[in-house]
Amino acid sequence: MHALLMLASLLATPAAAQPVAIAPAGTPSQAVAASAPLVAPLIPHRPLPMQGERARLDPYGGWRDDSRQDPALLTLLGEQNRWTEQQLAAQQPLEQALQAEWQAQARGEPMPQEWLSEAGSQWRMEADGSLWQRSGEQAEPRQRLAARQPASGYYELAGWALHPNGRWLALAEDLQGDRDYRITLLDLADGKPLATLTHRASDLLWSLDGKTLYTIANEPRTLRPWQLWAWRDGKEQQLHQEADPAWLLSLYRTTDRRHLLLQSNNHDSAEQYLLDAGRPALLKARQAGLEYYLDTQGDRVLLKSNRDGALGLYQVADLSQVAKGEWQPLWSGEQRSLEKWRLFVDYTVLQYRHKGDDWLDVLDGRGRLSHRLLLTEGAGTAWIQGAHDPASGQILIRRQGMAEPPHQRLLDLASGRWLPDARAALPSPYQSERRWVVGKDGVKVPVSLVWRKDIHTPKALLLYGYGAYGTPMRPYYQPQVLSLLDRGFVYAIAHVRGGGMLGDEWYLAGRGRHKQHSVDDFLTVAEALARDPAIDPARLFAMGGSAGGLLVAATLNQAPTRFAGAVLQVPFVDLLGTMSDPELPLTRQEYAEWGNPAIAADYAAMRRLSPYDNLHAAPYPPVYVTAGLHDSQVPYWEPLKWVARLREHSTGPGPYLLSTALDGGHRISLGNARQQAAREYAFLLTLAGARR
């Protein structure tokens, strides 16, 4: 076993909670308050012809309101929220108990605070929008800007950029959850705004001479980051526009801070421009299927690129060689998935996944392999943590597992050895592992599981899935999940195709016309775990959010009696309707992920899968669904329409509950996240027969 597993002194595991009794299978659960009305408020039909080449009538399509101000809509959503609260009133004591447990639970070793060195000081911004300054690591911080988060409502600080003079501060803030950011430029001397720039992405960069602030404007309606703007001396000028509707703009600075880059990319290609001289200067023209991403450290110019297939690392003599294609291969990504890389003065460090495990390679200044380390095995994960000092000879690695609280260690890059850590590991009442389940077509699907070791009666199971965009869904340590385990649950993550757990081939096998593979894998994992003698097959539950909501909803259509209940968080369920409307955010950028309905073969595959279009008469299990009124990624009308149609078609007793955050979007604000999680978990625990 790798040294990190054998030598690392883990943070003390929180004191073991006592297992809580849970009702055996077949015990009736009181999921619905006895005094609550049993019939949900009607969601009336509002027929609307669907956009696209194939004429179709959507019975609930008229509930779409791009302004989010229709009085009838707001009244309807309010009624649905109140009914949901009434149905769940009986579980409030359990919700409160869960929140109290989470408040008291240890969360592992906290991540180190990151401070920006600028203008002779160190600076840090908190999530509430407050700014802090200190003169050095040992100095006491002083507050330079009060918290900007309002007392109620949604707030996200998505980005900030401090001017080199330490006086001007640019902030990117979202006040309703739609990811359409407001940029505010403040003078820290008096706190007064110098400029307010609306309808922006969160990217912010000061020019090398400090005279210009670069931002990215969002396209109207679609919110696609599409224009580069330069603010200088109180005036703005547009410098660049991305004409292709499937491409997005972004900004970043190289490791040595010597170069500014404007990047344009779609799902599998990239193009970059240098902004050093104040105007975009093309590095290498776009080429279909070619990705490249530049970074520099001193005289070294490196590129992450898929030029030879998988994403690997290349070196060029100077910036002029990027366009010529005279790239020297340094590190091949074949059979590996490169996730992060860091440049140091004397080293290059690469973090990647191989067969589901996390690895780290250290290259010397000439690009030769010095050290290779296995960071994790099984149901654990590790990664390069935070920013780094390029002049340092150390790198921070953070590790955690489903039964292993987060902790971090410094790696000495010269020796490849971990720095000593005196903390001792304590025994844990929880156990985790990775299993492999043989899928419908013979493919082995990885599953990460965790449970409490001292509960021996057949356990309920919560199966989580995502399976999109190549996202690996790492098996994190989740303190909130421990409350499920203490009450007799097994928690599992099905790493289905479409995700990135096993690399690009795994991802490609579950997207577009192959999306059914994701559903097959999820259902196969559920069936396999239901056959485990330690699991109660009558108490299987499913959970998925956003694209994972599509996975779970499609699975419910294809196997409506497999699960005893489900939670769908802001679920993407109207696959055909959304992908047929190019004016919606993300649609034109995601044809490769989900398919283009204008293409006959794509349409056929999407029609077979789309959760909204495939609801049918069947005894669907109870479902709790969340939505955000200002969500620009999954608009509120998708969950609304899906719940309406589910109630119309299901022959089961339900309940089918909808809760819409009227002041939020795709993400839950930090102030409401714990309360929302408690409601979701209490819903599942009550269905499983939890007594408290």
Side-chain angles (χ1 to χ4, degrees):
M1 187 175 292
H2 186 256
L4 180 61
L5 296 173
M6 299 185 65
L7 301 178
S9 299
L10 305 183
L11 188 74
T13 303
Q18 295 300 313
V20 177
I22 195 166
T27 301
S29 63
Q30 299 300 318
V32 180
S35 60
L38 298 178
V39 179
L42 179 67
I43 302 175
H45 280 200
R46 272 197 179 184
L48 186 73
M50 288 182 62
Q51 296 194 30
E53 295 187 4
R54 292 166 175 81
R56 301 171 64 232
L57 190 67
D58 183 344
Y60 295 100
W63 286 109
R64 171 177 172 175
D65 172 31
D66 290 345
S67 75
R68 273 77 170 173
Q69 296 177 358
D70 176 11
L73 167 70
L74 298 179
T75 298
L76 175 75
L77 295 178
E79 290 175 347
Q80 295 297 319
N81 284 350
R82 286 189 293 274
W83 189 75
T84 293
E85 291 170 3
Q86 292 170 354
Q87 303 310 300
L88 301 182
Q91 71 175 38
Q92 285 186 2
L94 179 54
E95 292 179 26
Q96 294 168 0
L98 292 173
Q99 292 189 68
E101 289 175 18
W102 299 341
Q103 186 69 32
Q105 281 172 348
R107 294 181 174 271
E109 185 177 3
M111 290 188 291
Q113 289 188 339
E114 294 186 11
W115 291 80
L116 170 71
S117 294
E118 195 72 85
S121 293
Q122 295 180 346
W123 309 78
R124 174 176 173 80
M125 288 213 71
E126 299 291 344
D128 62 5
S130 60
L131 175 69
W132 299 81
Q133 179 185 9
R134 68 184 186 185
S135 58
E137 290 186 7
Q138 305 304 318
E140 187 71 19
R142 67 186 181 100
Q143 190 171 18
R144 290 297 309 277
L145 186 67
R148 295 170 59 83
Q149 182 172 359
S152 62
Y154 186 89
Y155 179 81
E156 179 195 3
L157 175 66
W160 62 288
L162 186 70
H163 190 276
N165 65 13
R167 178 171 174 174
W168 296 344
L169 175 68
L171 303 173
E173 298 168 299
D174 182 0
L175 299 179
Q176 44 178 38
D178 59 1
R179 301 193 310 156
D180 197 20
Y181 298 97
R182 179 189 66 192
I183 308 298
T184 305
L185 180 59
L186 297 173
D187 188 334
L188 293 177
D190 56 17
K192 294 182 179 179
L194 300 173
T196 300
L197 313 174
T198 58
H199 306 300
R200 303 298 160 114
S202 60
D203 301 57
L204 299 165
L205 273 184
W206 286 102
S207 61
L208 296 178
D209 61 10
K211 296 180 180 180
T212 303
L213 176 67
Y214 295 114
T215 68
I216 303 290
N218 287 334
E219 185 179 36
R221 291 181 61 84
T222 70
L223 304 185
R224 175 176 68 100
W226 74 318
Q227 292 175 339
L228 173 68
W229 286 77
W231 181 92
R232 182 171 183 168
D233 296 331
K235 299 179 181 179
E236 263 206 304
Q237 180 184 8
Q238 180 184 323
L239 301 183
H240 182 82
Q241 178 171 310
E242 176 51 67
D244 192 321
W247 286 60
L248 316 172
L249 296 180
S250 57
L251 294 166
Y252 72 94
R253 187 187 301 266
T254 57
T255 294
D256 57 12
R257 303 182 64 82
R258 292 171 55 193
H259 304 289
L260 309 180
L261 287 156
L262 171 67
Q263 176 175 300
S264 188
N265 65 276
N266 67 359
H267 65 282
D268 67 353
S269 310
E271 180 177 74
Q272 294 192 326
Y273 301 78
L274 280 176
L275 291 177
D276 299 357
R279 289 276 179 178
L282 182 64
L283 272 173
K284 180 177 176 60
R286 65 187 62 182
Q287 178 181 334
L290 177 67
E291 298 178 72
Y292 71 92
Y293 309 98
L294 175 79
D295 199 5
T296 61
Q297 175 56 54
D299 294 332
R300 288 189 295 151
V301 181
L302 278 77
L303 295 160
K304 180 175 78 169
S305 176
N306 64 344
R307 188 190 70 173
D308 298 323
L311 283 170
L313 201 61
Y314 301 82
Q315 185 165 333
V316 295
D318 55 53
L319 293 174
S320 67
Q321 301 302 310
V322 175
K324 297 178 181 178
E326 297 177 3
W327 305 355
Q328 174 189 351
L330 286 186
W331 185 91
S332 171
E334 290 300 319
Q335 303 300 315
R336 299 179 284 191
S337 298
L338 179 59
E339 295 190 333
K340 290 186 178 181
W341 58 304
R342 295 288 187 268
L343 292 184
F344 292 78
V345 172
D346 298 315
Y347 305 96
T348 301
V349 181
L350 305 101
Q351 171 208 319
Y352 59 96
R353 295 185 71 82
H354 175 61
K355 295 184 178 180
D357 294 321
D358 295 301
W359 290 76
L360 196 78
D361 280 3
V362 179
L363 311 183
D364 64 19
R366 297 183 180 180
R368 299 174 299 188
L369 180 65
S370 297
H371 310 289
R372 175 166 292 164
L373 299 95
L374 175 63
L375 300 180
T376 61
E377 291 178 290
T381 186
W383 61 89
I384 297 171
Q385 175 60 44
H388 70 288
D389 177 5
S392 172
Q394 301 174 347
I395 195 165
L396 186 66
I397 302 297
R398 187 167 175 86
R399 180 199 158 99
Q400 58 184 281
M402 298 178 79
E404 176 186 346
H407 59 102
Q408 54 228 6
R409 297 194 66 187
L410 283 168
L411 178 71
D412 179 73
L413 297 178
S415 65
R417 296 179 179 177
W418 300 101
L419 272 63
D421 189 339
R423 284 167 295 192
L426 295 180
S428 170
Y430 310 104
Q431 182 173 335
S432 65
E433 68 180 26
R434 181 189 299 162
R435 296 183 187 176
W436 297 85
V437 173
V438 179
K440 185 176 180 180
D441 53 0
V443 171
K444 292 184 177 180
V445 182
V447 189
S448 298
L449 304 97
V450 63
W451 64 92
R452 185 167 178 127
K453 292 183 287 188
D454 58 355
I455 296 179
H456 303 294
T457 57
K459 303 174 180 68
L461 170 76
L462 175 56
L463 183 62
Y464 186 88
Y466 187 73
Y469 304 109
T471 303
M473 294 312 299
R474 295 173 175 276
Y476 292 115
Y477 177 81
Q478 300 181 64
Q480 295 171 340
V481 167
L482 303 184
S483 293
L484 292 180
L485 309 186
D486 294 340
R487 289 169 171 82
F489 264 73
V490 174
Y491 179 74
I493 303 172
H495 302 286
V496 302
R497 281 173 284 185
M501 190 68 172
L502 299 181
D504 283 347
E505 291 185 5
W506 192 252
Y507 162 49
L508 295 175
R511 78 169 190 178
R513 298 176 192 174
H514 306 296
K515 192 64 196 169
Q516 179 60 39
H517 286 156
S518 303
V519 180
D520 291 342
D521 292 349
F522 193 77
L523 188 54
T524 298
V525 169
E527 295 289 356
L529 294 179
R531 293 191 294 270
D532 188 321
I535 292 174
D536 180 356
R539 292 187 297 158
L540 265 62
F541 302 91
M543 177 181 285
S546 193
L550 180 146
L551 171 69
V552 173
T555 302
L556 294 180
N557 282 338
Q558 296 178 28
T561 61
R562 175 61 279 172
F563 294 96
V567 171
L568 276 63
Q569 304 154 321
V570 291
F572 175 35
V573 284
D574 188 10
L575 176 59
L576 273 179
T578 292
M579 297 308 296
S580 296
D581 186 351
E583 294 303 311
L584 283 174
L586 303 180
T587 293
R588 291 177 293 182
Q589 294 92 55
E590 298 202 354
Y591 288 139
E593 182 71 30
W594 303 106
N596 185 345
I599 300 172
D602 285 5
Y603 179 89
M606 298 166 76
R607 179 63 183 83
R608 289 192 297 268
L609 185 73
S610 179
Y612 179 63
D613 295 281
N614 286 282
L615 287 163
H616 59 282
Y620 286 83
V623 184
Y624 177 74
V625 183
T626 66
L629 180 62
H630 300 285
D631 193 340
S632 61
Q633 294 172 260
V634 178
Y636 74 86
W637 56 80
E638 291 200 34
L640 171 64
K641 296 192 307 177
W642 187 82
V643 169
R645 207 166 191 178
L646 173 64
R647 291 173 182 168
E648 192 175 13
H649 285 81
S650 179
T651 61
Y656 307 115
L657 308 175
L658 174 67
S659 178
T660 303
L662 301 181
D663 59 356
H666 200 63
R667 298 178 181 176
I668 304 173
S669 62
L670 293 177
N672 297 330
R674 185 174 293 170
Q675 179 181 356
Q676 180 62 43
R679 173 172 286 191
E680 294 168 359
Y681 281 15
F683 174 74
L684 296 174
L685 284 165
T686 303
L687 290 174
R691 296 172 183 166
R692 58 185 174 90

